[in-house]
Amino acid sequence: MARSADERVSLTRRGWSLIGAAGGLAVGSFLLGAVELLVLAVAAAVLVAGGAVWLAFAHPLDLAMTRRVRPDRLHVGADGRIDLTVENRDTRVTPLLAATDWFDEGRRAARFLVPPLAAGAIARAAYRVPTRRRGRYQVGPLVVRASDPFGLSRRELAAVGASEVLVRPRVYDLVAPVAVGSRVSSDSEAVAARALVSDLGDEFLTLRDYEVGDDLRRVHWRATARTGDLMIRQDEAKWRSRAAIVLDVHPDGHDDASFEAAVEAAASVVARLVRLQRRVEVITSAGTILGTGGDPRHDVLDRLATVDTDPDDRLATVISNLRAHRRVDLVVAILGRVGDDVTRALARLAGIDTIVVLTQPVTMASSSSLVVVDASVAPFPDAWNRACSDTAARSRARSTGTRR
């Protein structure tokens, strides 16, 4: 980042204290008629003024400072840090400097001492970024200060301006959702997939790495032999279809813990579907489209970093409208406390693979086209992986029994 040339000279707390003491000595000299007190008051005032004048006319600092966030994308609970570099571009040695980089709009700060730097010398420092909460945080400005020998006045240089750091929700490692990316879910889907491949002349849009649970009949053996890794065919029909994630953001449906769990669940499912090269759209219960997974222009994980509750409750309508979208073949509904209207809307999605993630205790049973992930009694990743793995195992068992 480019450095700023804004500099100003001001008194430190010690300088203001000495000015106050000089005023008190002057008043005492007037009341008591003691000339010695007046001499001390004048000496104190001259010392403060001399330090300020010395800084004001001192040789200006010529520093190049940069700030870099590592990694570029931060997630809750992950390690992140900010690297600072200071380069002396002057021919003179710099004085002892104090650097302060503000964080979270001035609520916290990282402070460093920069030793005297020779011409062309570079100093480096780093500090960790707090990632306990998701959100958008402001970092900076980075301010460098030089003080007079007595510490009575200081000259400040705003070396680097403010920037933003985005902390995304935590993303868990999940197994592939049922019926996604050639995963076997039912006899009818397996038959339809074989017919589609036959009609297309065994053509497909792309290849992807094998994921645990994928149907081995979809392995592309020539690509596997060439790369040494199992490669799975990604069918054109599957690529063009969409998955929809519905996130319940109504405040009455959540407490603080369940809302954060719901946001983390949405982020984890988006990341898993993107890894499977699926198109995924995230919609809130208020009808707001947060974005499409995998689209760098409107990254849905960035939107999930700042999503908040919304009192506009249209959850049942949002779910019902998904029925009209022919290209949606998977719905993941992440819910808090819901009413019967939402349950009826989910029942009308029969024929569309649906996964319901419950972050609050709600009575809901799985069915042939509905998988219930109860994250209210177990951590979300454990509940998800167990529910999807069990459903996939039952589907394979039914498929095997039908072929026999």
Side-chain angles (χ1 to χ4, degrees):
M1 297 182 181
R3 69 184 181 91
S4 173
D6 296 335
E7 295 188 46
R8 63 187 181 92
V9 177
S10 60
L11 296 182
T12 63
R13 184 178 300 176
R14 183 185 303 175
W16 284 113
S17 298
L18 191 55
I19 287 292
L25 289 172
V27 172
S29 172
F30 175 77
L31 295 177
L32 301 176
V35 179
E36 294 82 359
L37 295 180
L38 181 59
V39 172
L40 290 176
V42 172
V46 169
L47 187 61
V48 173
V53 172
W54 180 77
L55 280 179
F57 290 93
H59 187 74
L61 298 173
D62 189 5
L63 302 174
M65 302 192 68
T66 59
R67 179 196 299 120
R68 182 180 178 186
V69 182
R70 294 187 178 183
D72 295 336
R73 290 289 190 267
L74 299 177
H75 290 268
V76 171
D79 290 333
R81 73 177 195 174
I82 293 180
D83 292 327
L84 305 175
T85 60
V86 183
E87 180 183 2
N88 180 20
R89 302 197 300 190
D90 201 352
T91 57
R92 304 183 184 187
V93 178
T94 64
L96 179 67
L97 303 174
T100 303
D101 200 19
W102 298 99
F103 185 80
D104 195 10
E105 297 182 347
R107 296 182 180 91
R108 288 171 282 185
R111 294 179 172 86
F112 308 92
L113 287 178
V114 182
L117 299 177
I122 298 177
R124 294 180 174 85
Y127 64 94
R128 293 193 176 278
V129 180
T131 57
R132 292 187 297 272
R133 294 182 294 111
R134 63 183 176 87
R136 191 183 303 273
Y137 298 93
Q138 178 177 301
V139 182
L142 174 61
V143 178
V144 177
R145 298 183 179 92
S147 62
D148 66 87
F150 299 100
L152 302 176
S153 57
R154 63 191 174 197
R155 183 173 62 179
E156 292 187 351
L157 166 67
V160 180
S163 56
E164 287 187 341
V165 172
L166 195 67
V167 180
R168 294 167 153 189
R170 193 190 313 267
V171 172
Y172 296 101
D173 188 18
L174 306 178
V175 301
V178 177
V180 175
S182 76
R183 194 179 182 94
V184 178
S185 66
S186 64
D187 297 337
S188 60
E189 183 189 10
V191 172
R194 288 195 295 271
L196 176 63
V197 172
S198 176
D199 293 342
L200 293 175
D202 202 26
E203 293 181 358
F204 48 89
L205 182 62
T206 186
L207 295 172
R208 62 172 176 82
D209 292 334
Y210 171 81
E211 300 284 348
V212 176
D214 282 329
D215 187 356
L216 291 178
R217 292 171 298 180
R218 308 190 73 81
V219 173
H220 191 266
W221 296 109
R222 283 178 294 178
T224 299
R226 185 173 62 254
T227 62
D229 297 322
L230 282 176
M231 303 299 294
I232 298 294
R233 296 172 298 187
Q234 184 75 45
D235 290 331
E236 185 176 9
K238 284 290 184 183
W239 173 258
R240 289 179 177 175
S241 61
R242 289 181 179 271
I245 298 177
V246 180
L247 176 61
D248 182 8
V249 296
H250 195 271
D252 292 341
H254 293 283
D255 53 29
D256 291 341
S258 69
F259 184 71
E260 291 304 315
V263 174
E264 291 179 353
S268 301
V269 176
V270 168
R272 193 64 180 90
L273 291 172
V274 170
R275 283 175 54 196
L276 292 172
Q277 301 181 2
R278 291 298 305 273
R279 296 181 180 182
V280 53
E281 194 171 67
V282 180
I283 312 168
T284 71
S285 56
T288 303
I289 299 177
L290 295 184
T292 302
D295 186 350
R297 299 168 301 175
H298 307 287
D299 198 320
V300 67
L301 292 184
D302 290 348
R303 298 286 300 276
L304 287 172
T306 57
V307 69
D308 203 353
T309 56
D310 192 327
D312 186 8
D313 187 12
R314 297 163 51 192
L315 180 58
T317 302
V318 168
I319 294 175
S320 298
N321 289 342
L322 293 175
R323 182 67 182 172
H325 292 272
R326 298 181 179 180
R327 307 213 70 86
V328 173
D329 64 349
L330 173 68
V331 175
V332 180
I334 304 173
L335 310 177
R337 290 181 289 267
V338 295
D340 294 338
D341 56 338
V342 175
T343 304
R344 290 192 295 268
L346 289 170
R348 288 193 291 269
L349 292 180
I352 300 177
D353 294 306
T354 305
I355 302 176
V356 177
V357 179
L358 302 176
T359 61
Q360 290 282 354
V362 176
T363 302
M364 192 174 299
S366 299
S367 64
S368 58
S369 61
L370 177 68
V371 177
V372 176
V373 177
D374 192 352
S376 65
V377 296
F380 162 70
D382 297 339
W384 172 280
N385 291 342
R386 181 169 57 251
C388 290
S389 298
D390 291 348
T391 302
R394 289 194 297 268
S395 297
R396 290 195 198 94
R398 288 197 302 268
S399 178
T400 302
T402 301
R403 288 198 298 270
R404 289 178 180 177

